[in-house]
Amino acid sequence: MYKNSYITNWVKDVSDLTKPDNIVWIDGSAAEKSRLTAEALRTNELLELNQEKLPGCYYHRTAINDVARVEHLTFICTPTKAEAGPTNNWLEPKAAYQKLTKLFAGSMRGRTMYVIPYLMCSAGSPFCKVGVEITDSIYVVLNMRIMTRMGQVALDQLGDSNDFVRGLHAKGDLSEEHRMICHFPQDNAIWSIGSGYGGNVLLSKKCFALRLASYMARNEGWLAEHMLILGLENPKGEVSYIAAAFPSACGKTNLAMLVPPLSQAGYKVWTVGDDIAWVRIGEDGRLWASNPEAGFFGVAPGTSMKSNLNAMLTIQKNTIFTNVAVTPEKTVWWEGMGVEPPQNCTDWRGNPWTQASKEKAAHPNSRFTTPASQCPVISKEWESPHGVPISAFVFGGRRAKLAPLVYQAYSWEHGVFVGATMASETTAAASGKVGVVRRDPMAMLPFCGYNMQDYFRHWLALGKKIKNPPKIFSVNWFRTNAEGKFIWPGYGENIRVLKWIIARCNNEVSAVESAIGYLPKPEDIDLTGLAAEGVTLETIKELLSVDTKAWVDEIKDQNSFLQKFDNLPAELISELDKLKKRLGVF
Ligand code: GTP
Ligand code: SPV
Ligand code: MN
């Protein structure tokens, strides 16, 4: 039992409701890890992988109907619907607690309840916040051990304070009818039931570090964003930091760990974070970003030695794999791993799979959970208490058409507009149809814990407080040709775009004014060594082309999205008007 009576009283309340057989107070020790791992192996919650080839690695399979975040079952519970805004599912808190209380009642009978104290950001950092998650899943405990700094370190930070996020999770019956992920921003609380999957149950991640944190951030004057953070080192050894928001499964982990191609000798990318950034105004008046997490919960399919060498090197040990395929020698495999598929293996459903099978062996949203400290290019600043200074914000999405490879917003206000109106094709990271273009402002559509019009307002206000705000850019690695193939080689080659971005931040290169923003002069994108990939100056011209007619349709759609809001900041309306004028639409 812990000393903090706010935790112990809450645990008592929860156990009175959920009726677990046992309560385990997590301390984060190595002995505890061995004990829990052994227990999970006994109950088949984990399978042991080949310990010679993948030391310390384990495998978990979720229920077949429980493989991704469920946005339609995710709720923001605020006293009024207006506080949640038109893009969130809303429930009135009392009604929500009533429903949840029924679902949670007796839900841990015959099971063990684990109490996990954890930190977001490192202890003592001005960014640091404490959470406690109660769960009946060992898988959650073992994942939280990788994703956060957990155990005694968090209790020490908390002391006898009541200032912590209360996250309550129970697996329940894992049916969709009984699944709900509810957020109570005013109570610092999250209740999640009916799932055993990643973002629904690792409550530190999307639930706390984005939904609740975005709400706190607005009140406290900072930002909580769905962003990677990277340091780009130039041949002189100078490092500039970039934070980039792409929707789920749209390339954050890959960009954060980018390996520059041989032709880019002297450039190096250092990983600070791959999914979430907490951003504050520093004493020097610049924006400083910190990665609140301690691990990566990354998409497996498409990760190969060629596409993401550093991720592949990171996951060789102490990693939990979820819903990938398992080979007969108890190693892992997934589509796009860059090695021949095994003759036969066990697929993510647990069924036999052969090369002739039509189904995918790994689920498209299968993932690895791995310690950030194992990443070969982890930045030496990644745990720095004040974070890293941000030179550029980048917004990006998956757009087969329309969005150019890169462009720069004219101003902070224009940049906020670009972020607010961005769109992307949906991916397997959330349940529902894949490949449908939808508006996903700042990649935060599923993660903003309050009314997005106020979120835009908050961004605009923050920009006014900074003397030299970061420059804002838009990127798109996913434009396709007539055959549906990606035109831009992406991955390591994205360094060429990052270089232009930093050159713009340093006023080292001019740009071309277009209707949508500053475009690079095609010859300013360094193409050295790219001819082998079939990329020429002509390709770049195509990737930077702005199809006015298509953009006129685009702004209609942007406009109808913005119509959802009843009190948009005037700056956004004015930016839309300016864009219309530049496109020749009146
Ligand atoms: P979440 O963890 O869901 O927030 O996703 P993420 O943004 O970190 O996405 P991630 O980097 O894991 O990439 C998802 C998929 O996009 C993987 O299958 C990648 O192989 C693919 N991908 C990443 N970068 C590129 C790129 O530059 N070009 C192309 N064509 N695909 C990419
Ligand atoms: C995402 O979907 O954006 C993720 C994975 O990073 S999850 O933790 O499931 O949200
Ligand atoms: Mn994410």
Side-chain angles (χ1 to χ4, degrees), residues 230-235 240 242 254-270 405-406 475 477 488-503 524-528 530:
L230 64 79
L232 175 59
E233 182 175 328
N234 69 15
S240 307
I242 297 176
N254 278 267
L255 193 68
M257 298 181 190
L258 181 157
V259 181
L262 289 176
S263 65
Q264 301 297 312
Y267 286 90
K268 207 164 165 28
V269 164
W270 299 103
L405 180 63
V406 59
V475 300
W477 317 138
W488 176 246
Y491 301 102
E493 307 300 351
N494 293 334
I495 184 88
R496 300 161 194 277
V497 173
L498 299 184
K499 278 168 63 179
W500 183 78
I501 287 175
I502 293 303
D524 286 336
I525 301 290
D526 180 358
L527 296 184
T528 322
L530 257 191

Side-chain angles (χ1 to χ4, degrees), residues 27 71 75 134 141 176 195 215 237 295 328 353 393 424 430 470 472 480 499 505 523 529 554 581:
D27 62 22
E71 295 177 4
F75 299 89
I134 296 180
V141 181
E176 278 211 47
S195 173
Y215 178 91
W353 185 96
F393 280 130
S424 189
I472 300 182
T480 56
K499 278 168 63 179
C505 293
E523 60 275 20
E554 173 76 1
K581 289 216 178 74

Side-chain angles (χ1 to χ4, degrees), residues 206 226 246-254 274-275 297-299 301-303 367 398 429 477-478 486 489-491 494:
K206 296 304 168 34
H226 192 203
F246 309 156
S248 303
C250 289
K252 290 184 299 301
T253 304
N254 278 267
D274 83 324
D275 196 46
F297 183 59
V299 177
T303 307
R367 297 211 173 223
R398 238 173 229 275
W477 317 138
F478 298 94
F486 294 122
Y491 301 102
N494 293 334

Side-chain angles (χ1 to χ4, degrees), residues 284-486:
D284 61 358
R286 287 187 293 172
L287 279 185
W288 293 71
S290 179
N291 168 15
E293 301 189 285
F296 308 127
F297 183 59
V299 177
T303 307
S304 69
M305 290 293 190
K306 186 155 179 282
S307 67
N308 194 345
L309 175 71
N310 288 317
M312 288 300 276
L313 296 175
T314 309
I315 63 182
Q316 297 305 313
K317 57 183 186 191
N318 307 320
T319 298
I320 301 174
F321 293 91
T322 302
N323 292 344
V324 301
V326 181
T327 70
E329 56 167 353
K330 297 277 183 287
T331 58
V332 288
W333 188 82
W334 48 77
E335 282 74 15
M337 195 187 207
V339 295
E340 278 299 298
Q343 291 277 332
N344 58 76
C345 65
T346 310
D347 73 9
W348 68 272
R349 291 185 168 88
N351 293 333
W353 185 96
T354 69
Q355 289 181 9
S357 300
K358 292 211 174 56
E359 306 270 335
K360 289 201 174 352
H363 188 277
N365 191 35
S366 54
R367 297 211 173 223
F368 50 76
T369 320
T370 198
S373 59
Q374 288 181 188
C375 178
V377 293
I378 195 75
S379 160
K380 62 179 191 328
E381 299 295 332
W382 86 283
E383 297 192 281
S384 142
H386 26 261
V388 295
I390 297 300
S391 300
F393 280 130
V394 180
F395 296 119
R398 238 173 229 275
R399 294 299 295 267
K401 304 287 166 222
L402 194 90
L405 180 63
V406 59
Y407 66 97
Q408 183 191 349
Y410 286 124
S411 62
W412 179 265
E413 288 73 21
H414 182 223
V416 174
F417 173 81
V418 168
T421 54
M422 73 190 245
S424 189
E425 290 148 25
T426 51
T427 66
S431 69
K433 242 179 137 190
V434 168
V436 187
V437 176
R438 69 166 182 185
R439 298 287 137 199
D440 188 347
M442 287 146 168
M444 283 289 279
L445 180 78
F447 308 122
C448 185
Y450 62 103
N451 194 323
M452 279 200 120
Q453 68 192 6
D454 298 324
Y455 168 76
F456 303 146
R457 193 167 275 117
H458 180 52
W459 262 81
L460 290 162
L462 198 88
K464 291 204 173 67
K465 288 194 203 144
I466 319 163
K467 223 191 277 141
N468 291 308
K471 302 277 185 288
I472 300 182
F473 298 82
S474 161
V475 300
N476 177 25
W477 317 138
F478 298 94
R479 230 149 116 164
T480 56
N481 62 17
E483 287 83 55
K485 291 239 155 64
F486 294 122

